[in-house]
Amino acid sequence: MASLQIEQVPVLSDNYVYLIYDPATQACACVDPAESAPVKRRLDELGWRLTHILNTHHHHDHIGGNLTLKQAYECQIVGADNDRARIDGIDVGVKDGDIFEFGSTRARVFEVPGHTRGHIAFWFEDDDALFCGDTLFALGCGRLFEGTPAQMWHSLSKLKQLPDKTHVYCAHEYTQANARFALTIDPNNAALISRAREIDDLRAQGKPTVPALLGMEKATNPFLRPDETNVQKTLNMVGKDSVEVFAEIRHRKDNF
């Protein structure tokens, strides 16, 4: 049964920070605080006190508010154990398969390298909530700054195994641009065509397109579908290895 309250805080130009609150214990986590001021304002409005910071990776637009928030709230910072040196203020290191106890609930940790070598994701199974940073986006995935196509496809394949009802709380509002690209890879996908229209409508109204449902991502996100024949046909790569197809899709997106 879902119990957590999740608040989305827009920051910078296109980032999302998430506040996770457990009413049963008043535990409150902030996921990837790019900056501190908007987070503090929203916490004050809600009357919540920060107890944890969850970092998915080391990029400044995900940890920029760490130290200021830690000083203000004396909260605990949780991040990848294998990337401690690059996570400002880290207190607790976690690794693949770990269970992070948060208030009255828990999150499973996945190591999902590719965008960075130390990227992790947090899955709150009981609340159908996945906080995946820049590994999986709505209709996209992160650039391969520190990893290989094989690593990223392996990481995405882990997340793809989660239930369709999982809500994907990714860290950026990239969906409209991602949809335009996705249509070049999978132009005859009826679900994608319909979704692209819905995304345009939401953005025209100034509304967010995330979280997204993982089931919809599986049906429409080309980065989760390099093993699909229709995607391979567009790329003239029918029968090719999924990693090779994924690499081609990522290459095309990098140059789109």
Side-chain angles (χ1 to χ4, degrees):
M1 178 182 295
S3 61
L4 298 176
Q5 296 178 31
I6 300 172
E7 286 283 324
Q8 187 178 56
V9 183
V11 300
L12 303 178
S13 61
D14 54 27
N15 278 66
Y16 290 126
V17 174
Y18 297 101
L19 299 177
I20 311 171
Y21 182 71
D22 176 27
T25 63
Q26 298 186 326
C28 180
C30 176
V31 183
D32 287 346
E35 53 182 346
S36 60
V39 173
K40 292 172 76 173
R41 282 196 300 270
R42 191 64 182 132
L43 287 167
D44 288 345
E45 291 168 357
L46 294 165
W48 298 348
R49 181 172 180 82
L50 199 63
T51 59
H52 298 82
I53 291 173
L54 309 182
N55 287 137
T56 62
H57 64 294
H58 74 90
H59 285 159
H60 187 72
D61 65 333
H62 293 256
I63 68 168
N66 272 20
L67 297 182
T68 300
L69 291 171
K70 183 174 181 178
Q71 182 177 26
Y73 298 101
E74 299 181 342
C75 55
Q76 186 180 73
I77 298 179
V78 182
D81 190 60
N82 65 2
D83 211 6
R84 281 177 170 269
R86 300 193 292 179
I87 305 294
D88 292 347
I90 188 171
D91 299 298
V92 177
V94 292
K95 59 186 184 299
D96 194 61
D98 280 355
I99 300 297
F100 171 65
E101 302 285 347
F102 174 72
S104 62
T105 188
R106 54 178 50 191
R108 179 175 294 276
V109 176
F110 295 97
E111 289 180 3
V112 283
H115 180 64
T116 69
R117 66 177 181 267
H119 206 301
I120 59 175
F122 297 87
W123 177 45
F124 290 83
E125 179 178 3
D126 290 345
D127 290 82
D128 302 319
L130 173 68
F131 298 90
C132 52
D134 289 358
T135 295
L136 174 63
F137 294 130
L139 287 177
C141 77
R143 286 178 178 266
L144 306 185
F145 288 125
E146 298 177 9
T148 66
Q151 284 179 313
M152 184 60 112
W153 174 237
H154 180 68
S155 295
L156 292 172
S157 296
K158 282 187 186 180
L159 301 182
K160 190 177 177 180
Q161 298 306 309
L162 298 180
D164 287 358
K165 63 181 180 177
T166 302
H167 291 83
V168 178
Y169 291 90
C170 59
H172 290 276
E173 183 57 71
Y174 291 164
T175 319
Q176 193 168 36
N178 287 345
R180 288 195 290 269
F181 171 74
L183 286 167
T184 70
I185 300 297
D186 204 2
N188 299 313
N189 185 329
L192 173 59
I193 293 167
S194 176
R195 187 178 180 193
R197 293 195 194 103
E198 292 172 2
I199 289 163
D200 287 341
D201 288 344
L202 286 170
R203 296 310 293 155
Q205 299 173 59
K207 294 180 179 179
T209 62
V210 296
L213 279 175
L214 186 57
M216 181 57 73
E217 291 304 311
K218 294 175 188 179
T220 59
N221 187 333
F223 293 99
L224 294 182
R225 306 178 70 242
D227 50 354
E228 295 283 338
T229 301
N230 287 340
V231 170
Q232 294 180 358
K233 281 181 179 178
T234 301
L235 301 172
N236 293 317
M237 298 181 73
V238 174
K240 297 289 187 179
D241 180 76
S242 294
V243 172
E244 188 178 350
V245 178
F246 173 83
E248 176 63 20
I249 298 170
R250 185 64 256 179
H251 174 72
R252 292 191 183 203
K253 180 64 168 67
D254 290 343
N255 295 281
F256 182 67

